[in-house]
Amino acid sequence: MKLRLALAFTFTLISITPSNASVINIGSKDVTTIRLSELSNRQSRVIALANGSAEVIDALGLRKNLIGRDIASELPRLKKIPVVTSGHQIVAEKIIALKPDLVLVDKSTGPATALAMLKKREINVVAIPEAWNVQDSYLRIKAIARALNENKRGDQLIEKMKQVVAAKKVEGSPKVAFLYLRGPSAVYLIGGPGSGADTLITAIGGRDVGAETMKNPFNTLTSEALAKANPDVLLLMTKGLQSVGGIDGLLKLPGIAQTTAGKKRRIITVDDSLLLAFGPRTPSLISQLARALGSEMQ
Amino acid sequence: MKRNLSINLTALILTFWISLNLGATKLDDVAQLLLGGGHEIERSILTEIRLPRVIAAIAVGAALGIAGALAQAVTRNNLAEPGILGTTSGAAFFALIAISLNLTEIGSLTLALIATVGGLITTGLLFYFVRRSLDGLALVIIGIAVSATLSGLVGILASIIKDPNAKGVTFWSLGTLSLATQQNALVISVITTILGLFGYLYARNLDYLALGDLRASHLGVSPIRVRGISLFLMATIVGFVTSTFGAITFIALATPHIARSIYGVTHQKLILGSALVGAVLLLIADTASRSLAAPTELPISLLTALIGAPFLAGAVYRGMRRS
C-alpha cells in the first residue's frame, strides 16, 4: 500500500505540468530605439568598449564613426561592426590593429595592462560613467557626445528620450521582485537597491520588494524569505527563465509557488541585453513594462 | 538499549521541534500554524517549505545512516561507505547520462531507478574485482579511485549540459535539501521506511557474515547472497537520495561508528541506531545550513562534516579505549 502511495505521488509529481501560463516576454523586437538622423560622413574612428556605448553612438546618428563595439550593444544594425572584447575583457592587439582615434571605456573595462598599452600608443582613451538608472543614462549620453565633440546632438537625444519616458504608471502599487536566475536552485539572487531594475519598477508604478527589504544591489535569498516577501509579479531575464526550464521549472522551485506571483503565474521576462541597458531603448522598454504590468494585474 | 533508544528518540523530537522554529523567516507560533491557524503566508512557508524540508532531512539522514551500516557490514570494513564504494558517484553519473539523453528529470521515479542501477553496477563491479580482500585497504583505495574518476566525469557533464535538470557541480558534489517539496519528502520517507524495515528484518544474516565467510557458509548463510541483497538495498537508498537531493557526504561514514558506540555491534540494533543517529545528525546539519547565514544558506555537506566529525572522533576514541 505504502509503495503504491509512493508511486502515485511520484507520478503526480512528474505530471504536474502547469497550463495556461501567462508569461509576458519583452524582446528586442518589441521596443523601439530613439535615434537621431544619421550623419553620413565619418569624422573619427571610434571603438566603443564601455557597456552599451556603441548603441548610444548609433542613436546619436554617428554610427559611421564606429569601427569596434562592446558585446552588450547587440542591435541588428550594429552586427557588421566587429566586437573587440572577449567577454568583458578587452584584447589590446585587436584594438590597436583597428587604428582608432578614440576608445570609450567604463569602470568595468579591463584588464588595466591592456588599457595602459593603448595609452602608450597615444590612443585617446576616454572613461564614461556607467548607468544603472534612467537619470544616469542621460549623464552617460552627455559624456559620450562630449567625447565625440557632438554636445548638441547629445542634448537633442536626451530631450527626445525624456518625452517618451513619461509612461503611464500602473495603479495599486503592485509588489514586484526582480530575480536573477541562473539554473534551478532554491537560493535566489534578488535585485535590491541599485540593481537597475529598482528604478524601472518604480518608474512604472510598482513597488520593488527587493529594494525595500535588502541592502545590496544583488542579494541571495532562500525560498522561505522569498515566500515571505510575497511579490505580486516576478520580473526575470528571458534567459534566466529558460535556465530553470521555463515557467514549469520555475513553478516547481520551492518558494516561488507560494508567492502570489507564482500562484497567479504573473511573470514578466525581458531580453537579457535590454533590461539593464539604460540607453536609447530604455524609454520604449519602460512603456512596454508598464503595459505588461498593467495587463498582469488585471 | 531501551534507555539509549529513548534518549535518541527524545533528541530527534527535540531537534524536529527546534528545526521547525528556525529558518530564514521568523514564524511566530508554529504550533498554531500547524493546526491551521495564523497568517496564510506563514502557514504556507511552514507547511509547504519548512516542514517538507525537515521531514526530508530526517528521512535522508536515516536512509544514509542505514546505507552506511550496510556498506560496513557487507565489507567488514570500517572505512566503507557509499561515497567510497562508488555507489554515490555511480548513481550521479548514470543520473546525469539519463538527463543528458533527455530520458527523464530530477525528482522522478525513473531517474531514481536509473541512479540505483548506476550505483549497483559500480559497486557490484568494485566488489567483484576486490572480492579477495573486501575487508582490506585495497577496497578503499580502488574505491576512492573509481569514485574520483566518476566524480570527475560527473563534474564535467554537469558543467557542459545546458539542461536545467543537470543542476550544477555543487549539487552533485555537496547536495542540497533546499529543493525538498511535499511530494519528494513523502516519497523519500516511504522509501526509507520500507527499505529500513527490510534491512532491519534481514540484519541477522549480517551478524553471521561478521563471523567470516567460511563460518557463515557453515551456518547455512550464503555470503554472496547476503552481500547481493544488502548491496541492492544500499544502492536503492543511495539512488533515491542522490537523484533527488544530490550527493550528501559524511553522514553514511560517520553514523554507523557513532551508532556502534551507543547500540553495540548486533546488526539489528546497529541498523535501527544508524537510522536514528543519521536522522538527528542530518537534521541538525540542515537546520544549521539554512539558519546560520539566513536569508541565504550554506552547502549541507560542509555542515554534515563539521557537526558529524567530533561525534565520529569521539565514538572511535571511546571504542579504542574500551578495547
Side-chain angles (χ1 to χ4, degrees):
Chain A
M1 179 60 196
K2 275 187 178 174
L3 184 62
R4 206 180 288 168
L5 202 66
L7 292 178
F9 265 92
T10 317
F11 284 124
T12 325
L13 180 67
I14 298 164
S15 64
I16 299 173
T17 41
S19 53
N20 64 47
S22 68
V23 177
I24 300 181
N25 181 45
I26 302 172
S28 286
K29 286 180 187 152
D30 302 318
V31 292
T32 48
T33 310
I34 295 168
R35 189 178 289 121
L36 302 177
S37 59
E38 190 161 341
L39 285 179
S40 53
N41 56 323
R42 168 183 286 177
Q43 293 146 334
S44 55
R45 297 170 66 82
V46 182
I47 295 181
L49 299 177
N51 259 338
S53 54
E55 214 173 299
V56 174
I57 292 174
D58 173 51
L60 288 166
L62 305 168
R63 184 173 57 143
K64 293 265 157 63
N65 295 283
L66 275 174
I67 54 164
R69 66 179 165 103
D70 60 288
I71 198 152
S73 295
E74 280 188 324
L75 293 184
R77 289 165 54 84
L78 301 173
K79 278 275 166 354
K80 282 189 183 158
I81 299 161
V83 174
V84 287
T85 50
S86 160
H88 287 290
Q89 297 279 297
I90 61 171
V91 184
E93 234 175 84
K94 268 191 189 173
I95 294 166
I96 292 166
L98 287 168
K99 297 189 184 118
D101 303 315
L102 173 67
V103 176
L104 297 182
V105 298
D106 64 17
K107 243 174 27 188
S108 57
T109 316
T113 45
L115 286 177
M117 214 181 281
L118 299 184
K119 283 179 188 159
K120 211 171 155 190
R121 297 208 151 227
E122 295 185 346
I123 294 169
N124 189 16
V125 179
V126 175
I128 56 159
E130 290 183 330
W132 290 105
N133 59 52
V134 177
Q135 288 305 319
D136 283 359
S137 74
Y138 299 148
L139 294 178
R140 187 166 64 158
I141 290 168
K142 261 184 185 293
I144 294 173
R146 196 183 310 127
L148 277 99
N149 279 327
E150 290 285 352
N151 285 333
K152 210 170 149 198
R153 281 198 160 244
D155 293 338
Q156 282 172 356
L157 180 63
I158 293 167
E159 205 43 53
K160 233 176 153 180
M161 279 169 70
K162 280 183 179 167
Q163 286 165 9
V164 186
V165 99
K168 207 179 161 202
K169 292 194 175 189
V170 177
E171 284 175 7
S173 340
K175 290 195 284 179
V176 184
F178 167 49
L179 295 185
Y180 185 84
L181 303 172
R182 281 294 174 267
S185 151
V187 180
Y188 308 95
L189 264 188
I190 186 170
S195 73
D198 53 342
T199 57
L200 296 175
I201 293 169
T202 329
I204 58 174
R207 272 174 60 198
D208 184 344
V209 284
E212 284 175 6
T213 50
M214 296 290 154
K215 282 182 190 151
N216 301 317
F218 287 93
N219 310 270
T220 48
L221 195 68
T222 54
S223 45
E224 284 189 11
L226 182 64
K228 181 89 174 176
N230 194 23
D232 299 310
V233 178
L234 293 178
L235 176 63
L236 314 169
M237 289 194 187
T238 310
K239 282 185 191 155
L241 182 63
Q242 284 167 7
S243 79
V244 295
I247 182 151
D248 296 355
L250 181 74
L251 291 178
K252 275 185 200 160
L253 296 179
I256 300 270
Q258 286 75 30
T259 62
T260 308
K263 281 178 196 153
K264 300 195 173 170
R265 293 156 203 265
R266 291 184 187 144
I267 289 134
I268 301 173
T269 54
V270 179
D271 179 85
D272 296 46
S273 76
L274 171 64
L275 183 65
L276 302 177
F278 293 107
R281 290 185 292 168
T282 305
S284 167
L285 167 67
I286 291 178
S287 10
Q288 293 292 346
L289 271 176
R291 195 176 300 165
L293 184 63
S295 90
E296 289 284 16
M297 293 308 293
Q298 262 172 16
Chain B
M1 163 81 185
K2 268 190 183 162
R3 190 169 149 263
N4 286 335
L5 201 62
S6 56
I7 292 175
N8 210 331
L9 270 173
T10 317
L12 182 61
I13 293 165
L14 211 65
T15 323
F16 173 77
W17 189 248
I18 293 169
S19 292
L20 281 186
N21 280 281
L22 287 179
T25 43
K26 197 182 169 306
L27 301 179
D28 282 335
D29 191 345
V30 170
Q32 195 195 355
L33 289 170
L34 279 178
L35 294 171
H39 196 274
E40 194 198 328
I41 288 178
E42 290 201 348
R43 201 164 57 239
S44 76
I45 287 175
L46 181 68
T47 57
E48 290 170 35
I49 300 174
R50 201 178 290 179
L51 186 63
R53 187 165 174 166
V54 167
I55 289 175
I58 293 175
V60 169
L64 291 176
I66 296 169
L70 288 172
Q72 295 182 4
V74 295
T75 56
R76 290 194 296 266
N77 191 326
N78 282 352
L79 283 171
E81 57 118 359
I84 284 176
L85 296 181
T87 326
T88 313
S89 50
F93 182 66
F94 270 61
L96 261 178
I97 295 277
I99 287 170
S100 65
L101 294 174
N102 250 335
L103 294 178
T104 182
E105 57 180 10
I106 287 277
S108 73
L109 187 64
T110 322
L111 192 70
L113 295 179
I114 291 172
T116 302
V117 172
L120 209 55
I121 290 177
T122 319
T123 314
L125 281 176
L126 179 70
F127 277 18
Y128 178 74
F129 285 116
V130 201
R131 62 187 176 278
R132 284 180 205 286
S133 69
L134 280 176
D135 50 355
L137 211 54
L139 176 81
V140 175
I141 293 171
I142 297 177
I144 288 175
V146 170
S147 292
T149 311
L150 286 175
S151 300
L153 290 173
V154 163
I156 292 169
L157 272 179
S159 307
I160 57 173
I161 299 174
K162 284 275 169 4
D163 190 304
N165 268 304
K167 308 275 175 195
V169 180
T170 327
F171 178 82
W172 296 107
S173 55
L174 295 172
T176 177
L177 287 169
S178 70
L179 293 165
T181 58
Q182 287 175 337
Q183 287 89 348
N184 60 29
L186 183 77
V187 170
I188 200 74
S189 307
V190 173
I191 294 289
T192 305
T193 312
I194 295 171
L195 297 180
L197 208 62
F198 187 75
Y200 180 80
L201 296 173
Y202 195 68
R204 188 159 301 173
N205 296 299
L206 296 171
D207 290 335
Y208 294 130
L209 200 64
L211 302 171
D213 282 13
L214 201 62
R215 278 197 191 159
S217 309
H218 288 161
L219 290 165
V221 173
S222 154
I224 292 178
R225 193 195 296 155
V226 176
R227 286 209 173 92
I229 290 175
S230 308
L231 180 61
F232 180 77
L233 272 182
M234 180 183 80
T236 314
I237 290 172
V238 173
F240 268 88
V241 170
T242 310
S243 66
T244 320
F245 301 107
I248 297 173
T249 58
F250 203 74
I251 292 284
L253 173 69
T255 301
H257 289 278
I258 300 167
R260 209 172 285 126
S261 80
I262 302 173
Y263 296 96
V265 293
T266 323
H267 281 92
Q268 265 194 346
K269 288 179 189 169
L270 190 60
I271 281 182
L272 181 65
S274 295
L276 281 172
V277 171
V280 175
L281 267 188
L282 191 60
L283 188 53
I284 295 176
D286 187 54
T287 309
S289 94
R290 62 188 171 77
S291 44
L292 279 185
T296 184
E297 66 178 67
L298 306 164
I300 179 79
S301 286
L302 300 183
L303 288 144
T304 51
L306 206 62
I307 293 166
F311 287 105
L312 172 67
V316 175
Y317 184 69
R318 236 177 87 183
M320 208 170 67
R321 282 191 49 176
R322 244 188 239 162
S323 63

